[in-house]
Each structure stands twice: as C-alpha cells, then as structure tokens.
Amino acid sequence: MKKIVLLIYSALGLLACKKDKLNTKPDSTQIIPETIAYYQMLLDNQNYFNYTTFLAETGSDNYYATENAWTNFNAVCKYSYIWAQDPFEGGTVNDWNLSYTTIYYANTVLEGINRLGAEKGSPAGLRATGEAYFHRAHAFFQLAQLFCKVYDPATAKTDLGIPLRKRSDVTLGIARSTVQETYDQIIADLLEAEKLLPPLPDYKTRPGKLAVAALLSRVYLSMSDYDRSFQYADKALSQYNVLMNYHTIKNTGVPFKQFNDEVIWHTVMGGSMIFNADNNCSVDTALYESFDSNDMRKQLFFGIGNRPYFKGTYAGLTTSFKFCGLAVDELYLTRAECYAHKDMLREAMNDLNTLMTKRWNNNNSFKPFQATTKKDALQQILRERRKELLFRGLRWMDLRRLNLAGADINLKRIIGNDTFHLSANSLRYIYPIPDQELTFNEMPQNER
C-alpha cells in the first residue's frame, strides 16, 4: 500500500517541497473519490508524515564539520552550522516547507473526513482522524523548536509563536500566534488524537495512543513542566517498556534494525548535506571519549575512519538516515529526569540503571549509577541522555530548555582561522522566518 501512496503523491509532493510559502496549495490534479481509505493512503505517505526537521540538529554541539566539508555545504547548511545572522541567505528552507506541507495534508484529512457523514465515526475514520491530529501536532512542535523562543511561562503569552494554520484553505490570512497559543494547540491536538487512536498501530510508521503519550512527555519536557512530562512518560512506560540488550547486537555496518523493539513511532531526519554522508559529520571528540570502554554504545554507535562518525541510528538500512522518532530509551531518560526534579532520587537512578544495564558489556560487571543529591542525579541523567539520544534531533531542544534553566552551555565552532560562538540563551537559538514566507504573509520577523 505504501508504494502505491508514494506513486500517487510523488509529483504533488515534489512540487510542494520546492515552494517557500505556507500558503501554497500543492497540485491536486490527481483526485480520487473521497473515502476513509483515500485519506488513510494520504496519511501513509512517509515522505511527509515520517520526516522531521534537520535544523534541530544542525546547530547542536554533538558534531563538527571539517573546513573542507563545510566549504562544500549548501548555503542553509553552511550558515546555520556557524549560527550566522542570516543562516538561509534567501535560499529554500526545507524544514519550514515540509512542516507546513504536512500541516496542509493533516488539515485536508480532518476536513475531508468530517464531510463523510456516518463513515467518519467508523473505527477506520476515527483512527485516520486521530493520526491527522497527531501529525499536525508533531509538525507544529517541530516548528516551535526552530522558529520561536523556548517556552518560558513568564513570557509565553507575549512571545511570538508560529503561524497556526488549522484549515486547508491557503487563501485565508494567518498571523503569528503567541508561544502559549502554539503549545496550547500542540497539546490540544494530541489530546484529541489520544481519544481516537488505538493503543498500538498496525505499523510503526503510524501513531497510536502509546506514541501520543510519548510525544506529550517530550512536549512537556520542552516546556520544563516536569510533573506532566513525568505523567505521560510513566503512562507510556506502563503500556510498553521493552529495551534491547546491546551486548547481544552484532556490530555490523548498521547495527540496529528499522522498527526495532524500542521504536514506538518511526520517523527520520529530512535530507541534509551535513548528515547524509559520514565524512561530512564527525562526532564531537570530547563526547566520543566520554563513553566508557565497557559501554556497548561506543562500539555500536560509532564507526572509526579518519574520525569517529555516527552509525547508531534506529532508522536501519543506512547511516544516512537518522532516526528522530519516539522510542522507549528516551522515555526512561525523561522519567528519570522528572523523578530527579521531584527529589525522588532512588526512583531516578533506578530508571537510569534500568537503561544502562542494557547498554553495558555483559562480560564486565556493571556498577550502578548512584546519586545523593538532586544536582548529582540530574548531571548524570543529562549526561547519559545526550549520549543515548545522539542525532535524534533532540539536542537543540535540550540546549534551549537547559540554558533557560541556567545551564549556561556556550557553543563554539572553528572553521580555518575563524571562530564562531553561540552563547547560552542567544537569540540565534531562534531561526528567522524564511524571507519568501514574509513576502506572502505579512508577519513580524524574529530578532537575531
């Protein structure tokens, strides 16, 4: 079925990705009768609904590019890598385009199913509606991590959010929301999805209630709402908590299978010159050296050429695709962090050790992590979070929220004789709205 979907929508999809405006309606000349099956086929188009942004990883501190590789990057990759004042240089911003195309299709599905009468209340109709709400929420959330300030409860009601397009009619004018309105919409969509979706989907490319709980946990963590993040991480883990034993996995070219046991919902990072070739992207040296020799992740996550590169993606198939979906290991780390914030240190370290026992060399005795203070527990959990969730598009989110809480993480790039800095809480953690978008929709630009 998925092959058929790709054939039906490939021409329309390629056109949409080349447009730099959220009010461009994709070509829809190939119309088939409106049925639940039709809308489900649209939702199963992995080119949109299972791709995520790459800018969320581009500016992070997990890697570095050599001067030679950087010189050959396209403008968006080159200038976002060094946190330039104008990182897009007037070029196409695929992360913006892809996200709003996904939102357009989700709105099309919601409106179309609503016109079908009694059929919309069938199990298939409810499931497709729930999937559309989930995907719209996920796209809004991805955009929020890039194009608006990190959620701060003190300023969220006045900080500029993203344009919240909730209808497929692209001729309607739309203004920027506030950050509070942005997150309220994300959460509202996910709560609607939770009502409608089955506990587990037929395929891991589709979301179910488990994926909703996992995404809500991530959303609330980005907001530093540790009580609700804990609530949904705990809810998800109560439904499914399988972890792989890394010491049983063969260290092949791509060691992890696609749709492996830890994956809850599958999505991969969109195409980027930085991450689609191993020689373009080298793992940060200090980060690589921080892995213990008995930590199986050091063997399974990295290939060693001239420099260490990352091969530990859960996307399978090839190292060019970086898994950015939802998985059980993230939930354990999120719940551990929330436990620590609640001063429940024993529970926090139990969650961390549950994960780490599955990552340690079976031939060496694992010494459980211990903490006697909240600060110590958080330091250990956040250190392992960064190491475990490498290249999943989460580090940018973490840097933003941790710096807001006072982490004071300052980043540096070196290209030849030039050094570039990104200070904690810099306005350059917020990407500018693409120039082409502003020519079609009048709205305030982000300060940089």
Side-chain angles (χ1 to χ4, degrees):
M1 180 177 69
K2 292 170 185 170
K3 290 181 180 178
I4 295 173
V5 175
L6 294 180
L7 289 173
I8 292 175
Y9 294 105
S10 59
L12 155 144
L14 288 172
L15 177 63
C17 276
K18 291 179 181 177
K19 300 293 184 183
D20 262 336
K21 45 189 181 292
L22 68 90
N23 65 340
T24 298
K25 184 176 181 179
D27 179 14
S28 57
T29 56
Q30 298 187 53
I31 297 297
I32 60 178
E34 292 190 9
T35 64
I36 296 297
Y38 162 71
Y39 290 114
Q40 186 61 61
M41 288 172 66
L42 183 57
L43 290 165
D44 283 332
N45 186 347
Q46 295 180 38
N47 282 347
Y48 297 113
F49 295 107
N50 299 98
Y51 268 77
T52 57
T53 58
F54 68 81
L55 287 172
E57 192 68 48
T58 305
S60 82
D61 56 349
N62 286 332
Y63 75 102
Y64 68 93
T66 65
E67 182 179 8
N68 183 61
W70 180 82
T71 301
N72 292 304
F73 289 164
N74 63 25
V76 172
C77 290
K78 180 180 290 186
Y79 296 113
S80 59
Y81 176 79
I82 60 172
W83 316 297
Q85 175 72 21
D86 181 6
F88 304 145
E89 293 277 303
T92 299
V93 185
N94 287 330
D95 281 2
W96 179 274
N97 297 345
L98 178 65
S99 295
Y100 276 107
T101 302
T102 298
I103 291 163
Y104 167 81
Y105 285 142
N107 288 332
T108 298
V109 170
L110 290 172
E111 293 165 5
I113 291 178
N114 194 51
R115 292 193 296 266
L116 295 180
E119 191 180 0
K120 69 183 180 182
S122 66
L126 295 175
R127 182 187 66 227
T129 302
E131 288 184 24
Y133 276 119
F134 176 91
H135 290 304
R136 189 172 75 176
H138 183 258
F140 282 150
F141 180 66
Q142 292 282 297
L143 289 163
Q145 304 317 298
L146 301 176
F147 298 102
C148 62
K149 290 183 178 180
V150 63
Y151 183 89
D152 182 346
T155 60
K157 291 183 179 180
T158 55
D159 288 337
L160 287 171
I162 58 171
L164 292 171
R165 186 167 288 284
K166 294 181 284 184
R167 296 179 63 180
S168 65
D169 185 349
V170 297
T171 66
L172 296 175
I174 186 168
R176 293 186 69 173
S177 64
T178 65
V179 167
Q180 186 66 58
E181 290 168 339
T182 296
Y183 280 86
D184 286 348
Q185 186 63 52
I186 292 165
I187 292 165
D189 279 357
L190 289 173
L191 293 178
E192 281 299 310
E194 187 178 36
K195 297 175 188 175
L196 303 170
L197 290 171
L200 294 173
D202 295 328
Y203 310 102
K204 290 192 175 185
T205 51
R206 294 177 180 174
K209 290 184 189 296
L210 176 62
V212 172
L215 184 53
L216 277 166
S217 179
R218 181 186 289 180
V219 170
Y220 280 119
L221 187 67
S222 76
M223 301 168 70
S224 299
D225 186 337
Y226 302 114
D227 287 338
R228 288 187 176 88
S229 182
F230 169 83
Q231 173 189 340
Y232 284 102
D234 188 60
K235 184 175 184 177
L237 287 169
S238 70
Q239 298 175 52
Y240 187 76
N241 58 14
V242 175
L243 289 168
M244 294 182 288
N245 288 308
Y246 274 20
H247 57 264
T248 65
I249 296 173
K250 294 181 179 180
N251 188 15
T252 58
V254 183
F256 299 107
K257 294 180 180 179
Q258 191 179 50
F259 314 136
N260 66 58
D261 289 343
E262 290 186 13
V263 172
I264 293 170
W265 176 63
H266 174 86
T267 183
V268 296
M269 190 185 300
S272 164
M273 290 186 70
I274 298 177
F275 305 114
N276 65 6
D278 296 334
N279 59 351
N280 282 345
C281 173
S282 302
V283 176
D284 178 79
T285 304
L287 177 59
Y288 172 74
E289 292 176 350
S290 72
F291 285 81
D292 190 279
S293 59
N294 291 313
D295 188 339
M296 293 300 299
R297 294 176 300 183
K298 193 166 190 176
Q299 299 177 34
L300 297 174
F301 279 9
F302 308 112
I304 307 297
N306 294 329
R307 298 168 301 276
Y309 64 90
F310 181 73
K311 66 173 186 175
T313 175
Y314 278 11
L317 304 179
T318 171
T319 58
S320 296
F321 292 104
K322 304 296 189 288
F323 173 82
C324 292
L326 300 162
V328 174
D329 55 349
E330 180 187 348
L331 288 171
Y332 270 106
L333 289 161
T334 297
R335 192 172 70 173
E337 183 180 346
C338 294
Y339 269 134
H341 280 288
K342 294 157 70 74
D343 287 309
M344 301 173 70
L345 303 188
R346 183 176 57 123
E347 292 83 354
M349 302 316 288
N350 281 345
D351 270 355
L352 180 59
N353 288 321
T354 296
L355 173 65
M356 292 306 298
T357 55
K358 301 293 186 179
R359 304 307 191 234
W360 218 250
N361 189 328
N362 206 31
N363 297 323
N364 291 275
S365 297
F366 172 69
K367 296 180 181 179
F369 288 74
Q370 297 180 352
T372 57
T373 67
K374 175 179 176 178
K375 180 179 179 180
D376 185 25
L378 284 171
Q379 286 177 340
Q380 294 184 64
I381 292 164
L382 290 170
R383 182 168 58 244
E384 295 308 320
R385 177 182 174 85
R386 183 185 179 194
K387 291 157 69 174
E388 177 73 18
L389 304 180
L390 271 174
F391 295 99
R392 295 202 195 173
L394 295 175
R395 181 60 176 168
W396 193 248
M397 179 193 89
D398 284 346
L399 287 167
R400 283 160 47 98
R401 69 182 180 90
L402 294 173
N403 278 331
L404 182 65
D408 196 31
I409 304 170
N410 299 288
L411 309 186
K412 181 173 71 173
R413 306 280 205 210
I414 299 174
I415 298 292
N417 295 322
D418 296 317
T419 301
F420 305 89
H421 297 274
L422 183 67
S423 60
N425 299 310
S426 168
L427 289 175
R428 296 196 184 188
Y429 270 105
I430 311 161
Y431 287 96
I433 304 297
D435 290 342
Q436 291 90 340
E437 184 59 46
L438 298 179
T439 65
F440 292 96
N441 291 282
E442 187 175 342
M443 65 182 75
Q445 179 58 281
N446 290 325
E447 296 180 30
R448 294 271 290 175

